[in-house]
């Protein structure tokens, strides 16, 4: 098999490897549509570890099955499937406690480009196929479905972690693709006022399409000040951190009412500590502010649920696609786009035939 | 004051009464927009009790304050306010257990046309004004806001009782105005497949506008059979009973998957018992099917939350209004319309000035 | 292998079968302690179906592993293990929706004496061993641990389904072994007043040991009347149905306050319908009374959690054991005891070793 | 009236004030039993603000009513009542969102020794008496009941905020009186392994009485290391911060498993920020660790619920009383004890009668 990934830290390129072996519960797919993610860039240039040497990257994919294991019951060769970013083995008791993402320890449910090779390849192996794959409906474009595998499930998880309920006022901080899906997820959870914080015009426009009632440009004043002005000094019921820097993260606490929920779906790894100013913590947490952080939910039922939402017409994550590429050979160019992050980029996708 | 209501069981008409006295925490309003409800018809013709003699009916209202008590802090004469159907006194410890609707016993939170006179009058007294009223925003039509006071809060409560979450398949049984709001509430809670059961063309069309993905006409076959056919025999995650008869109620259990939720927001009072067939109960309740029933949530924050949702453009309950009347004198005609229930009726409203 | 079970409906006895084959994820145990259950009697004499012909009964067991499959990682031959009644395959996406008991349809998570042979045998096959077994701690008597596999997990699930929280008033209807564990589970969930309804002196005495504050003898008056007298007419926050007949079940609704929770962990299968009187339903469900029913949770983590509770000294389910037997040959006698149900029986156990 | 409190920051003493005026919903009590709290010391010596000048301190009290307002329905002169630390007015819509502690802004539900005078006095005014008082049962010693008003409600809230459920492993950091009640609350919520972190022998011994399975002395090694050693490197499901310094707070995150809950019921006010090391945050919050902080729940139903728990014999908070005083004149001495905090002090109480 041929794939694109990290040769060693800071060095990306093509690699040839033996074709993956399909275990009895596994399936092998060829890519139908894939997308690079900012996390791939992190894995290539910022993260360390022996698992990131000669490792094929990529974790967002719709594929067509070319082989299925002997114990796979619900899928067959030729099926087009949505492959979630998070594909647990479902063989550890940890998932019985409700967190498949961490079935056998922190982040152990993410297999692509960590323990095994990722989706930037002509052969993609998926473990526990019956428990992780979802059939792609005929009327759902593959490139739209790719948006579900990480962006939509993570963004919607932001709304879940923030426990958005009917009429809540919500602020989503950061409106790249994950933040945009947090906006859509909050609107679809019944938010009332929905503030989206960002500056890039394309993102701001799309945030409104996805349900933001107000947008806040952090270049025009402190986020805290703008939210307080907009809410008459009351703050919001929920804040979802989907981008920005540490100050953005801290601000999320400051703008919450007593009883408010902060959800973090941003990744902070290259820092020594979270240094949250006490004046942002509701009397040093006496104010019942809750912080929840989390990682993209995966598995078959999650994908089936998101597919049902998209098919019902409640949100179209395909609108985030700003750049389209074609075929395996385009992966390096699409990847480089994620490195460069031009101002008009929301999400690129690579289609195969 | 002058009002329209039940003189004695089976007899409706106008009545003159002394103007209401405004206690220190109360407010008095004149009507700006009111709507009759099927419950008013029940109160007039089917229910008994000394409280239903010379009782002014009506519980859906937007008003303009003409007097406020000495202890009312947040509202003043001239304010236009949304007045919820459920206006607890908030002075009983029961609401500390989370159910203001039953603060001092079953249904004790509903004051209009039970313990005190209702909203079909030129003077409307609201107790605990600061805790029950919500300011009508300038850009929200009063007649639309009337839909929030009972129809929307009750329908949305159906989605809450059914614990609808991202991607759930939901069936709403009955799509009169409460059922339509249950459809909208389920869609806004993130339902995937959303089946609406009804037969009247206007209601069916509006159910689709509010987010139904499929509609089911009970005249074309048993609801159970149709849902099972549509779901490949699996059933749905949640069923909301918003109309129909006892068979409809029983069917709601039958169409639920193991772990499914049945929410009842329909009123069954003139029956001796609920006779639920065991084959509809998931192995005699072993299948973790849950039944929740409930009554329209009220109070100020509920109204403010619903207003925020409508202002955000997520749902327009004003679309349910099919018949409009003008002025106090039109109440009997509008009321009679609820008695007759013509096939094209969804919801009437009476506007003042 | 040799086992005791149902030869055909109404006929129990010994049977010889080929030894079970240990699949790669399976384990085979010999019994260390087993217990018969009322459900075994139902399976033998009341239930129908091809799976109940020549079927070894039994589903409560502590065993010692005599073989483990090639893929089993966490257990080895010689380990003493607690084997839950509910042993899903964990290979169906249904469990991702949170209900392993029904992973592939109603009650599909229960394998013993349904799809495969049960635990009244000298060889006991457990599927998905890593996900279903829990190690028996050295200081936990095997016969006590047998009580966890069904009685404790089911009784505690009653308290979970009833959502018992700090200070709730709770009524447990029926104090056989499951009901006694519902009493213990409610006390351990922080119940305040805790009424236990039963008549047998041994059960009544043990209910007090497990945390009942009051006991109610249904022979001394209607349960409804006694609870209402005890609560000053207010009723209870939660009622758990763990025994009795249909009237008991209906009474559970009647004694709940508005907002109350009814949990059913009793088995009703041989009836045509549940015919709940409307006067027991809180105004026809307007009073926010919730009904939840359910089936014993199983799997490894559940057993590990219950073991932790018992080891912490919070409850001793071994106190329920009233009759002890020894060795495989005693199974028929112990089973017959469950058929006869003498007045002093709470729970029998059969020890091996 | 005469009371003891803070004259100005750093200065405590007696003060004479006009007797409180009893509004229509208020009640006035004389003290039957009161207790000083560490928060009183903070208020006297560390906190600032105009409300802390000539302010009578104290917020833990059982009293006997000497006057009731005209609108008080459920209490009468002579009633002995448990008076919670948190006595909201219940007249702000904020409590409809579920947080009476912050009904009109951060910590606004606490009235004693903030907006109005506290309980170290011969006259104690309680607002919204029907909604805040609970009748003292005849068989519950007043000095025991004083422990409910702040220590027990706060400690139990720790277990609530940590969402302790059946079989969770829990660590309570700090076992002063609030921490001891967090231990008892966790045990009563069904914790399995329950680690109590402290060093004072009396507290350690009492932690075991209240349900701790293991105690950890922070003087014998880092808490993190000891918990990790005790849990085989896995960590705990929940950590409750009830004492200690900032490092203790940070450690609470570090010892939690993915998906774990940190509850903070300690007060941190004199610090610039919370500087949480990233290695303690589960991959920078990717591991679904949740932080909840909060303030003691009050109001009538809360007190009634705690009373029911104590009357059921599930926990005896009176065991925390190590020092007893008698009469109003003893307040300064009891207060000074809280300042000095001798090693054998858990909780002092002052009895009147």
């Amino acid at each position: 098999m041929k794939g694109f990934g990290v040769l060693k830290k800071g060095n990306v390129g093509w690699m040839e490897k033996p074709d993956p072996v399909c275990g009895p519960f596994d399936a092998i797919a060829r890519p139908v549509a894939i997308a690079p993610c900012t996390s791939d860039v992190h894995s290539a240039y910022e993260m360390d570890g022996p698992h990131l040497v000669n490792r094929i990257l990529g974790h967002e994919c719709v594929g067509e099955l070319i082989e299925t294991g002997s114990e796979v019951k619900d899928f067959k060769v030729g099926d087009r499937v949505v492959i979630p970013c998070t594909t647990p083995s479902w063989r550890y008791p940890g998932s019985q406690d409700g967190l498949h993402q961490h079935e056998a320890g922190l982040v152990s449910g993410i297999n692509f480009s960590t323990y095994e090779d990722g989706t930037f390849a002509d052969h993609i192996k998926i473990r526990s196929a019956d428990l992780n794959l979802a059939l792609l409906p005929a009327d759902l474009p593959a490139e739209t479905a790719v948006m579900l595998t990480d962006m939509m499930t993570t963004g919607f998880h932001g709304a879940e972690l923030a426990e958005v309920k009917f009429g809540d006022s919500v602020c989503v901080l950061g409106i790249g693709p994950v933040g945009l899906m947090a906006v859509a997820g909050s609107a679809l959870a019944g938010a009332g006022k929905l503030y989206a914080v960002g500056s890039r015009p394309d993102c701001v426009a799309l945030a409104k399409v996805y349900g933001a009632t107000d947008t806040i440009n952090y270049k025009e004043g402190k986020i805290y000040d703008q939210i307080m002005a907009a809410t008459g000094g009351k703050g919001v019921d929920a804040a979802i951190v989907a981008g920005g820097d540490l100050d953005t993260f801290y601000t999320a606490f400051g703008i919450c009412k007593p009883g408010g929920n902060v959800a973090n779906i941003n990744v902070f790894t290259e820092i020594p500590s979270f240094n949250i100013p006490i004046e942002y913590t509701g009397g040093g947490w006496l104010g019942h502010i809750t912080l929840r952080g989390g990682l993209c939910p995966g598995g078959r039922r999650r994908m089936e649920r998101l597919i049902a939402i998209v098919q019902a017409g409640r949100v179209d994550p395909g609108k985030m696609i700003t750049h389209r590429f074609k075929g395996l050979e385009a992966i390096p160019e699409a990847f480089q786009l994620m490195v460069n992050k031009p101002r008009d980029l929301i999400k690129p996708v690579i289609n195969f035939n």
Side-chain angles (χ1 to χ4, degrees), chain A:
Chain A
M1 69 188 260
K2 182 181 176 184
F4 179 85
V6 56
L7 303 169
K8 62 176 189 176
K9 186 176 175 176
N11 238 312
V12 297
W14 289 104
M15 53 195 87
E16 291 280 347
K17 293 195 171 189
D19 283 359
V21 177
C22 188
F25 296 92
D26 299 336
I28 312 282
R30 70 163 189 86
V32 171
I34 63 175
C37 169
T38 304
S39 302
D40 293 310
V41 178
H42 286 305
S43 295
Y45 295 111
E46 292 171 25
M47 294 175 70
D48 283 296
H51 67 287
L52 288 173
V53 173
N54 289 327
R55 173 63 69 213
I56 295 173
L57 292 172
H59 53 263
E60 304 185 18
C61 182
V62 168
E64 182 181 298
L65 297 186
I66 55 177
E67 187 178 355
T68 61
S70 57
E71 301 290 330
V72 174
K73 293 184 295 278
D74 296 346
F75 298 94
K76 61 182 190 306
V77 169
D79 282 348
R80 293 197 162 207
V81 291
V82 181
I83 307 169
C85 162
T86 302
T87 54
S89 73
W90 301 98
R91 293 213 184 122
Y92 291 91
S95 65
Q96 294 173 25
D97 279 339
L99 280 186
H100 63 271
Q101 296 98 322
H102 314 288
E103 58 171 5
L106 189 65
V107 193
S108 53
I110 295 191
N111 193 42
F112 288 131
S113 76
T114 55
Y115 305 106
E116 298 192 74
D117 284 314
T119 62
F120 292 169
D122 52 10
H123 286 68
I124 298 154
K125 195 189 96 180
I126 309 104
R127 59 180 177 178
S128 297
D130 280 335
L131 294 173
N132 282 320
L133 299 177
L135 214 57
L136 179 73
D139 62 350
L140 182 58
E143 66 172 29
T144 297
V146 173
M147 300 296 116
L148 277 62
T149 60
D150 183 355
M151 301 298 102
M152 185 176 169
T153 190
T154 301
F156 272 51
H157 197 40
E160 291 168 328
L161 293 169
E163 295 193 343
V164 176
K165 60 185 180 308
F166 287 148
D168 271 355
S169 55
V170 180
C171 179
V172 176
L173 300 111
I175 46 174
V178 165
L180 286 167
M181 287 294 96
V183 168
S186 297
L188 203 52
K193 273 282 182 185
L194 178 41
Y195 304 91
V197 178
S199 66
R200 292 190 292 150
D202 294 352
C203 294
V204 166
L206 197 48
K208 288 182 180 166
V209 170
Y210 284 143
T213 58
D214 301 81
T215 55
I216 286 181
N217 188 337
Y218 56 86
K219 296 182 176 173
E220 295 173 2
K222 287 183 67 173
I223 298 168
Y224 177 88
D225 294 340
Q226 292 190 67
I227 287 286
M228 284 300 154
T231 60
K234 287 191 177 171
V236 292
D237 294 302
I240 303 174
V241 183
D245 55 16
L246 279 171
D247 276 332
T248 313
F249 178 78
Y250 305 149
T251 297
F253 294 91
I255 62 175
C256 275
K257 289 181 196 170
N261 291 312
V262 175
N264 180 56
I265 47 175
N266 198 6
V267 181
F268 294 104
T269 51
E270 310 301 303
I271 58 166
S273 65
F274 293 91
N275 197 354
I276 311 170
I278 194 166
E279 67 265 25
Y280 275 0
T281 63
W285 310 116
L286 296 178
H288 287 87
I289 290 176
T290 294
L291 165 65
R292 283 186 200 83
L295 186 68
C296 55
R300 176 171 170 180
R301 287 294 297 135
R302 179 70 172 186
M303 289 301 109
E304 290 177 344
R305 287 177 169 276
L306 298 186
I307 289 169
I309 289 172
V310 174
Q311 283 198 295
R314 309 212 191 286
V315 59
D316 178 5
K319 287 183 179 160
M320 297 192 297
I321 302 172
T322 51
H323 295 69
R324 287 177 173 79
F325 298 86
K326 189 104 192 165
L328 198 69
E329 299 309 315
I331 293 177
E333 189 185 353
F335 178 82
Q336 190 57 37
L337 190 73
M338 292 304 292
V339 177
N340 297 344
K341 290 217 171 169
R343 195 161 165 78
D344 65 345
L345 172 71
I346 300 181
K347 192 75 190 180
V349 75
I350 303 164
N351 285 300
F352 296 72
N353 67 334

